[in-house]
Amino acid sequence: MSLLGMTADSTQPWLDEVRRARRGDSSAFAALVRGLQRPVFGLCLRLLRSEAEATEVAQETFLRAYQHLERFDETRPFDLWVLTIARNLCLDILRRRQKVQTEDVEPHAPTLASHEPTSEELAMANQQRRSLEDAMATLSDDDREVLALYYVQKRTTKEIAVIMGVAPGTIMARLFRAREKLRTRMTQAEQGAA
Amino acid sequence: MTTPMNDDEAELARLLAEAAPDPLEREALAESHRQLEKDLLRLADPLPPADFVAAVMAKVEAEPQRVSAGEVRSAVLIAVVGLAASAMAFLRSGASADGVALEFAQGLVAAREVLVGFGSGLAAVWRTAGLPLSVTLAVVVMVTLVGLRRLVAPENSKVVA
């Protein structure tokens, strides 16, 4: 993939479940939770960097979504609405923490591989991924968030702008600056290791 | 032939030019960013704990039953229609506001009489020590019944084969 090029998806895949959940169908809400648990938990984990806190906040996110389901505007994508709730809850916690912790990064759960790699490939890929995750963990909350949403969750710049509540035109600049900081941190880490 | 740049491409070109004014440096920077993007795109969100959905649904089930706006609207409509029908029936039966007030006053007098009677009854029970006697009798009866029940309970009976 090039430096640019993710396209927006205008479909509303969650609308049927949302409507059923509004009518009191708990299995429909469970389907929504199942479908969105990974991006919501992932965003919380990248922002909070604590698995226990991320789990708690992700659960709270879905509870808030359930409580305010009537307020959801059906013309907007449901997943972005839920991610915005998750982001706001995470930011509340980060504000309470009052300081950025750049050490004691918890190891993330292993990512899913798209093919069957050999053990050597797997070890190298894991090492590479770990270096990248470690470097990402040293970035600011804003930088981590924008990188996670764009590259990990494959969101468009417009969607990220909705979630972060900023103008879409600022996202490319934020991404560039975050990448540049990440590149610098990785170069420093490589030089330190050499 | 060159294709026109969109806003994002133009923004990226501007940012690259700002970060690396020299064209060679710029190309190297763009290449390192492309490589970094490839690595970043390989990352995936970790899976939440296995019991995540169950934990969320347990919290959701513990929530009070949500009442939808439609249900509230229906309830208000039913109440309004019911009240209107009652008012119509009342007016059509030939009743007047004076009659209603008279009925209400008579009801108040009757309620006062009931309260006075209830108070007199309580006072009589207090004077004749009827309450302690009733409680003592009730306890005796209850203890007797419980004792009898224990005596005839299956675990106390012996089965002879």
Side-chain angles (χ1 to χ4, degrees):
Chain A
M1 191 179 140
S2 70
L3 290 177
L4 306 159
M6 291 182 195
T7 55
D9 184 5
S10 58
T11 56
Q12 259 280 41
W14 312 109
L15 204 53
D16 182 44
E17 281 89 350
V18 170
R19 285 177 179 163
R20 279 167 45 217
R22 273 179 170 167
R23 290 195 295 267
D25 183 347
S26 62
S27 68
F29 191 74
L32 290 170
V33 177
R34 264 193 300 278
L36 292 173
Q37 58 175 331
R38 197 166 176 177
V40 169
F41 175 73
L43 181 64
C44 293
L45 188 57
R46 295 214 183 264
L47 282 172
L48 300 173
R49 287 177 294 152
S50 153
E51 199 162 330
E53 269 187 319
T55 305
E56 185 66 31
V57 172
Q59 288 178 1
E60 181 63 23
T61 299
F62 285 110
L63 191 61
R64 295 272 178 104
Y66 178 78
Q67 288 166 339
H68 301 116
L69 211 51
E70 289 298 325
R71 291 190 206 164
F72 168 63
D73 176 4
E74 288 188 5
T75 59
R76 296 181 58 200
F78 181 72
D79 51 346
L80 295 194
W81 183 64
V82 175
L83 281 170
T84 308
I85 297 173
R87 177 181 188 265
N88 290 337
L89 288 173
C90 289
L91 291 186
D92 284 346
I93 288 180
L94 290 172
R95 275 189 217 108
R96 280 204 292 271
R97 279 188 194 164
Q98 300 250 319
K99 61 176 184 177
V100 178
Q101 295 169 341
T102 52
E103 63 279 354
D104 297 332
V105 181
E106 283 195 14
H108 291 177
T111 53
L112 296 175
S114 57
H115 65 288
E116 294 288 332
T118 64
S119 58
E120 277 177 13
E121 276 178 342
L122 202 61
M124 276 182 71
N126 275 343
Q127 179 57 40
Q128 209 172 18
R129 184 184 55 76
R130 178 61 59 83
S131 316
L132 196 58
E133 295 273 16
D134 287 350
M136 261 180 93
T138 65
L139 299 179
S140 69
D141 302 332
D142 280 350
D143 290 337
R144 278 203 314 278
E145 184 181 23
V146 77
L147 288 175
L149 288 171
Y150 192 76
Y151 294 109
V152 183
Q153 299 204 359
K154 318 289 187 279
R155 299 276 166 195
T156 65
T157 52
K158 279 181 188 169
E159 287 174 333
I160 297 170
V162 170
I163 294 167
M164 294 179 77
V166 296
T170 64
I171 300 298
M172 281 312 290
R174 281 171 185 249
L175 275 168
F176 182 83
R177 280 195 288 271
R179 271 200 316 265
E180 190 54 15
K181 283 181 203 164
L182 186 62
R183 194 181 66 87
T184 311
R185 301 281 163 87
M186 290 196 74
T187 310
Q188 284 168 351
E190 279 166 18
Q191 283 169 352
Chain B
M1 196 178 105
T2 57
T3 52
M5 282 197 290
N6 64 28
D7 289 348
D8 285 351
E9 285 170 335
E11 175 72 357
L12 184 64
R14 189 188 66 75
L15 291 163
L16 279 167
E18 209 175 84
D22 178 61
L24 283 175
E25 242 181 82
R26 198 181 311 150
E27 186 46 43
L29 183 64
E31 184 50 39
S32 62
H33 272 243
R34 271 187 217 105
Q35 191 54 49
L36 190 57
E37 284 203 306
K38 279 183 191 166
D39 294 338
L40 282 165
L41 284 165
R42 284 195 204 105
L43 296 180
D45 277 327
L47 283 167
D51 64 344
F52 185 84
V53 178
V56 171
M57 292 314 292
K59 286 184 178 181
V60 164
E61 297 295 332
E63 277 290 295
Q65 189 70 34
R66 281 188 318 103
V67 180
S68 71
E71 285 171 329
V72 172
R73 275 196 296 273
S74 301
V76 169
L77 188 70
I78 289 166
V80 167
V81 168
L83 277 173
S86 307
M88 286 288 287
F90 177 72
L91 291 173
R92 288 187 68 181
S93 68
S96 65
D98 293 349
V100 174
L102 200 62
E103 286 290 325
F104 183 69
Q106 281 172 350
L108 276 181
V109 171
R112 186 174 170 276
E113 281 171 6
V114 168
L115 275 176
V116 168
F118 187 68
S120 304
L122 278 181
V125 166
W126 182 257
R127 274 199 306 274
T128 58
L131 192 66
L133 191 66
S134 308
V135 170
T136 310
L137 273 174
V139 169
V140 169
V141 170
M142 286 299 288
V143 168
T144 311
L145 284 173
V146 169
L148 283 170
R149 188 180 163 79
R150 283 178 69 89
L151 276 174
V152 297
E155 61 266 28
N156 291 333
S157 61
K158 290 187 176 158
V159 178
V160 180

PDB file of all heavy atoms in Angstrom, chain A residues 13-33:
ATOM      1  N   PRO A  13     -23.152  -1.497   8.153  1.00  0.00           N
ATOM      2  CA  PRO A  13     -23.367  -2.924   8.409  1.00  0.00           C
ATOM      3  C   PRO A  13     -24.040  -3.234   9.744  1.00  0.00           C
ATOM      4  O   PRO A  13     -24.536  -4.314   9.930  1.00  0.00           O
ATOM      5  CB  PRO A  13     -21.956  -3.501   8.379  1.00  0.00           C
ATOM      6  CG  PRO A  13     -21.065  -2.363   8.698  1.00  0.00           C
ATOM      7  CD  PRO A  13     -21.739  -1.127   8.206  1.00  0.00           C
ATOM      8  N   TRP A  14     -24.066  -2.275  10.683  1.00  0.00           N
ATOM      9  CA  TRP A  14     -24.565  -2.576  12.033  1.00  0.00           C
ATOM     10  C   TRP A  14     -26.019  -2.138  12.238  1.00  0.00           C
ATOM     11  O   TRP A  14     -26.569  -2.351  13.314  1.00  0.00           O
ATOM     12  CB  TRP A  14     -23.693  -1.878  13.081  1.00  0.00           C
ATOM     13  CG  TRP A  14     -22.248  -2.068  12.871  1.00  0.00           C
ATOM     14  CD1 TRP A  14     -21.351  -1.131  12.449  1.00  0.00           C
ATOM     15  CD2 TRP A  14     -21.494  -3.269  13.070  1.00  0.00           C
ATOM     16  NE1 TRP A  14     -20.100  -1.670  12.366  1.00  0.00           N
ATOM     17  CE2 TRP A  14     -20.152  -2.984  12.741  1.00  0.00           C
ATOM     18  CE3 TRP A  14     -21.831  -4.557  13.478  1.00  0.00           C
ATOM     19  CZ2 TRP A  14     -19.149  -3.926  12.806  1.00  0.00           C
ATOM     20  CZ3 TRP A  14     -20.825  -5.504  13.551  1.00  0.00           C
ATOM     21  CH2 TRP A  14     -19.509  -5.187  13.220  1.00  0.00           C
ATOM     22  N   LEU A  15     -26.594  -1.509  11.234  1.00  0.00           N
ATOM     23  CA  LEU A  15     -27.888  -0.849  11.432  1.00  0.00           C
ATOM     24  C   LEU A  15     -28.999  -1.816  11.859  1.00  0.00           C
ATOM     25  O   LEU A  15     -29.788  -1.508  12.761  1.00  0.00           O
ATOM     26  CB  LEU A  15     -28.286  -0.115  10.153  1.00  0.00           C
ATOM     27  CG  LEU A  15     -29.262   1.040  10.340  1.00  0.00           C
ATOM     28  CD1 LEU A  15     -28.782   2.015  11.379  1.00  0.00           C
ATOM     29  CD2 LEU A  15     -29.495   1.745   9.018  1.00  0.00           C
ATOM     30  N   ASP A  16     -29.046  -2.983  11.230  1.00  0.00           N
ATOM     31  CA  ASP A  16     -30.089  -3.950  11.553  1.00  0.00           C
ATOM     32  C   ASP A  16     -29.979  -4.383  13.018  1.00  0.00           C
ATOM     33  O   ASP A  16     -30.984  -4.407  13.755  1.00  0.00           O
ATOM     34  CB  ASP A  16     -29.958  -5.163  10.621  1.00  0.00           C
ATOM     35  CG  ASP A  16     -31.052  -6.178  10.870  1.00  0.00           C
ATOM     36  OD1 ASP A  16     -32.211  -5.738  11.012  1.00  0.00           O
ATOM     37  OD2 ASP A  16     -30.755  -7.380  10.956  1.00  0.00           O
ATOM     38  N   GLU A  17     -28.741  -4.697  13.454  1.00  0.00           N
ATOM     39  CA  GLU A  17     -28.533  -5.120  14.850  1.00  0.00           C
ATOM     40  C   GLU A  17     -28.886  -3.983  15.812  1.00  0.00           C
ATOM     41  O   GLU A  17     -29.463  -4.216  16.868  1.00  0.00           O
ATOM     42  CB  GLU A  17     -27.079  -5.555  15.077  1.00  0.00           C
ATOM     43  CG  GLU A  17     -26.749  -6.951  14.597  1.00  0.00           C
ATOM     44  CD  GLU A  17     -26.297  -6.965  13.158  1.00  0.00           C
ATOM     45  OE1 GLU A  17     -26.416  -5.922  12.476  1.00  0.00           O
ATOM     46  OE2 GLU A  17     -25.835  -8.026  12.703  1.00  0.00           O
ATOM     47  N   VAL A  18     -28.519  -2.761  15.428  1.00  0.00           N
ATOM     48  CA  VAL A  18     -28.806  -1.605  16.290  1.00  0.00           C
ATOM     49  C   VAL A  18     -30.316  -1.462  16.479  1.00  0.00           C
ATOM     50  O   VAL A  18     -30.805  -1.289  17.604  1.00  0.00           O
ATOM     51  CB  VAL A  18     -28.213  -0.308  15.695  1.00  0.00           C
ATOM     52  CG1 VAL A  18     -28.719   0.914  16.446  1.00  0.00           C
ATOM     53  CG2 VAL A  18     -26.695  -0.350  15.738  1.00  0.00           C
ATOM     54  N   ARG A  19     -31.051  -1.580  15.396  1.00  0.00           N
ATOM     55  CA  ARG A  19     -32.517  -1.433  15.479  1.00  0.00           C
ATOM     56  C   ARG A  19     -33.130  -2.532  16.335  1.00  0.00           C
ATOM     57  O   ARG A  19     -34.027  -2.284  17.134  1.00  0.00           O
ATOM     58  CB  ARG A  19     -33.123  -1.440  14.071  1.00  0.00           C
ATOM     59  CG  ARG A  19     -32.875  -0.122  13.376  1.00  0.00           C
ATOM     60  CD  ARG A  19     -33.385  -0.130  11.961  1.00  0.00           C
ATOM     61  NE  ARG A  19     -33.154   1.158  11.331  1.00  0.00           N
ATOM     62  CZ  ARG A  19     -33.198   1.362  10.044  1.00  0.00           C
ATOM     63  NH1 ARG A  19     -33.476   0.377   9.215  1.00  0.00           N
ATOM     64  NH2 ARG A  19     -32.971   2.559   9.546  1.00  0.00           N
ATOM     65  N   ARG A  20     -32.619  -3.764  16.149  1.00  0.00           N
ATOM     66  CA  ARG A  20     -33.135  -4.875  16.964  1.00  0.00           C
ATOM     67  C   ARG A  20     -32.774  -4.693  18.435  1.00  0.00           C
ATOM     68  O   ARG A  20     -33.583  -4.963  19.326  1.00  0.00           O
ATOM     69  CB  ARG A  20     -32.599  -6.205  16.423  1.00  0.00           C
ATOM     70  CG  ARG A  20     -33.411  -6.678  15.213  1.00  0.00           C
ATOM     71  CD  ARG A  20     -32.753  -7.811  14.459  1.00  0.00           C
ATOM     72  NE  ARG A  20     -32.241  -8.846  15.318  1.00  0.00           N
ATOM     73  CZ  ARG A  20     -31.111  -9.511  15.089  1.00  0.00           C
ATOM     74  NH1 ARG A  20     -30.385  -9.240  14.022  1.00  0.00           N
ATOM     75  NH2 ARG A  20     -30.705 -10.450  15.914  1.00  0.00           N
ATOM     76  N   ALA A  21     -31.564  -4.226  18.683  1.00  0.00           N
ATOM     77  CA  ALA A  21     -31.141  -3.988  20.078  1.00  0.00           C
ATOM     78  C   ALA A  21     -31.991  -2.899  20.720  1.00  0.00           C
ATOM     79  O   ALA A  21     -32.334  -2.979  21.901  1.00  0.00           O
ATOM     80  CB  ALA A  21     -29.671  -3.598  20.113  1.00  0.00           C
ATOM     81  N   ARG A  22     -32.358  -1.909  19.930  1.00  0.00           N
ATOM     82  CA  ARG A  22     -33.225  -0.836  20.452  1.00  0.00           C
ATOM     83  C   ARG A  22     -34.581  -1.375  20.872  1.00  0.00           C
ATOM     84  O   ARG A  22     -35.219  -0.837  21.764  1.00  0.00           O
ATOM     85  CB  ARG A  22     -33.421   0.233  19.375  1.00  0.00           C
ATOM     86  CG  ARG A  22     -32.335   1.279  19.374  1.00  0.00           C
ATOM     87  CD  ARG A  22     -32.590   2.264  18.270  1.00  0.00           C
ATOM     88  NE  ARG A  22     -31.699   3.396  18.379  1.00  0.00           N
ATOM     89  CZ  ARG A  22     -31.525   4.285  17.412  1.00  0.00           C
ATOM     90  NH1 ARG A  22     -32.178   4.153  16.276  1.00  0.00           N
ATOM     91  NH2 ARG A  22     -30.702   5.289  17.573  1.00  0.00           N
ATOM     92  N   ARG A  23     -35.025  -2.427  20.169  1.00  0.00           N
ATOM     93  CA  ARG A  23     -36.324  -3.024  20.509  1.00  0.00           C
ATOM     94  C   ARG A  23     -36.195  -4.010  21.671  1.00  0.00           C
ATOM     95  O   ARG A  23     -37.148  -4.682  22.022  1.00  0.00           O
ATOM     96  CB  ARG A  23     -36.909  -3.724  19.282  1.00  0.00           C
ATOM     97  CG  ARG A  23     -37.367  -2.756  18.191  1.00  0.00           C
ATOM     98  CD  ARG A  23     -38.269  -3.454  17.174  1.00  0.00           C
ATOM     99  NE  ARG A  23     -37.575  -4.480  16.428  1.00  0.00           N
ATOM    100  CZ  ARG A  23     -36.983  -4.277  15.250  1.00  0.00           C
ATOM    101  NH1 ARG A  23     -37.016  -3.085  14.707  1.00  0.00           N
ATOM    102  NH2 ARG A  23     -36.372  -5.265  14.625  1.00  0.00           N
ATOM    103  N   GLY A  24     -35.001  -4.114  22.246  1.00  0.00           N
ATOM    104  CA  GLY A  24     -34.800  -4.967  23.423  1.00  0.00           C
ATOM    105  C   GLY A  24     -34.237  -6.341  23.119  1.00  0.00           C
ATOM    106  O   GLY A  24     -34.216  -7.207  23.992  1.00  0.00           O
ATOM    107  N   ASP A  25     -33.761  -6.577  21.891  1.00  0.00           N
ATOM    108  CA  ASP A  25     -33.190  -7.873  21.522  1.00  0.00           C
ATOM    109  C   ASP A  25     -31.728  -7.926  21.999  1.00  0.00           C
ATOM    110  O   ASP A  25     -30.840  -7.330  21.381  1.00  0.00           O
ATOM    111  CB  ASP A  25     -33.281  -8.028  19.994  1.00  0.00           C
ATOM    112  CG  ASP A  25     -32.784  -9.381  19.519  1.00  0.00           C
ATOM    113  OD1 ASP A  25     -32.149 -10.093  20.318  1.00  0.00           O
ATOM    114  OD2 ASP A  25     -33.013  -9.715  18.344  1.00  0.00           O
ATOM    115  N   SER A  26     -31.503  -8.645  23.109  1.00  0.00           N
ATOM    116  CA  SER A  26     -30.149  -8.661  23.679  1.00  0.00           C
ATOM    117  C   SER A  26     -29.171  -9.447  22.801  1.00  0.00           C
ATOM    118  O   SER A  26     -27.973  -9.186  22.806  1.00  0.00           O
ATOM    119  CB  SER A  26     -30.159  -9.219  25.100  1.00  0.00           C
ATOM    120  OG  SER A  26     -30.615 -10.538  25.088  1.00  0.00           O
ATOM    121  N   SER A  27     -29.680 -10.417  22.026  1.00  0.00           N
ATOM    122  CA  SER A  27     -28.774 -11.181  21.151  1.00  0.00           C
ATOM    123  C   SER A  27     -28.224 -10.272  20.036  1.00  0.00           C
ATOM    124  O   SER A  27     -27.100 -10.444  19.588  1.00  0.00           O
ATOM    125  CB  SER A  27     -29.482 -12.391  20.553  1.00  0.00           C
ATOM    126  OG  SER A  27     -30.476 -11.962  19.645  1.00  0.00           O
ATOM    127  N   ALA A  28     -29.038  -9.293  19.623  1.00  0.00           N
ATOM    128  CA  ALA A  28     -28.557  -8.348  18.610  1.00  0.00           C
ATOM    129  C   ALA A  28     -27.458  -7.471  19.191  1.00  0.00           C
ATOM    130  O   ALA A  28     -26.449  -7.189  18.522  1.00  0.00           O
ATOM    131  CB  ALA A  28     -29.707  -7.469  18.122  1.00  0.00           C
ATOM    132  N   PHE A  29     -27.619  -7.061  20.448  1.00  0.00           N
ATOM    133  CA  PHE A  29     -26.569  -6.247  21.066  1.00  0.00           C
ATOM    134  C   PHE A  29     -25.302  -7.082  21.272  1.00  0.00           C
ATOM    135  O   PHE A  29     -24.185  -6.595  21.087  1.00  0.00           O
ATOM    136  CB  PHE A  29     -27.049  -5.653  22.394  1.00  0.00           C
ATOM    137  CG  PHE A  29     -26.116  -4.608  22.915  1.00  0.00           C
ATOM    138  CD1 PHE A  29     -26.072  -3.348  22.329  1.00  0.00           C
ATOM    139  CD2 PHE A  29     -25.222  -4.880  23.930  1.00  0.00           C
ATOM    140  CE1 PHE A  29     -25.169  -2.385  22.758  1.00  0.00           C
ATOM    141  CE2 PHE A  29     -24.323  -3.923  24.378  1.00  0.00           C
ATOM    142  CZ  PHE A  29     -24.309  -2.673  23.782  1.00  0.00           C
ATOM    143  N   ALA A  30     -25.481  -8.356  21.638  1.00  0.00           N
ATOM    144  CA  ALA A  30     -24.320  -9.249  21.795  1.00  0.00           C
ATOM    145  C   ALA A  30     -23.572  -9.365  20.468  1.00  0.00           C
ATOM    146  O   ALA A  30     -22.332  -9.403  20.439  1.00  0.00           O
ATOM    147  CB  ALA A  30     -24.772 -10.618  22.278  1.00  0.00           C
ATOM    148  N   ALA A  31     -24.315  -9.403  19.358  1.00  0.00           N
ATOM    149  CA  ALA A  31     -23.675  -9.473  18.029  1.00  0.00           C
ATOM    150  C   ALA A  31     -22.862  -8.204  17.769  1.00  0.00           C
ATOM    151  O   ALA A  31     -21.760  -8.266  17.202  1.00  0.00           O
ATOM    152  CB  ALA A  31     -24.739  -9.653  16.957  1.00  0.00           C
ATOM    153  N   LEU A  32     -23.393  -7.070  18.188  1.00  0.00           N
ATOM    154  CA  LEU A  32     -22.657  -5.802  18.024  1.00  0.00           C
ATOM    155  C   LEU A  32     -21.363  -5.831  18.838  1.00  0.00           C
ATOM    156  O   LEU A  32     -20.310  -5.405  18.367  1.00  0.00           O
ATOM    157  CB  LEU A  32     -23.524  -4.626  18.474  1.00  0.00           C
ATOM    158  CG  LEU A  32     -24.721  -4.264  17.594  1.00  0.00           C
ATOM    159  CD1 LEU A  32     -25.624  -3.250  18.286  1.00  0.00           C
ATOM    160  CD2 LEU A  32     -24.258  -3.716  16.259  1.00  0.00           C
ATOM    161  N   VAL A  33     -21.462  -6.346  20.063  1.00  0.00           N
ATOM    162  CA  VAL A  33     -20.272  -6.422  20.931  1.00  0.00           C
ATOM    163  C   VAL A  33     -19.230  -7.346  20.302  1.00  0.00           C
ATOM    164  O   VAL A  33     -18.042  -7.011  20.231  1.00  0.00           O
ATOM    165  CB  VAL A  33     -20.648  -6.909  22.355  1.00  0.00           C
ATOM    166  CG1 VAL A  33     -19.403  -7.050  23.221  1.00  0.00           C
ATOM    167  CG2 VAL A  33     -21.640  -5.956  23.002  1.00  0.00           C
TER     168      VAL A  33
END
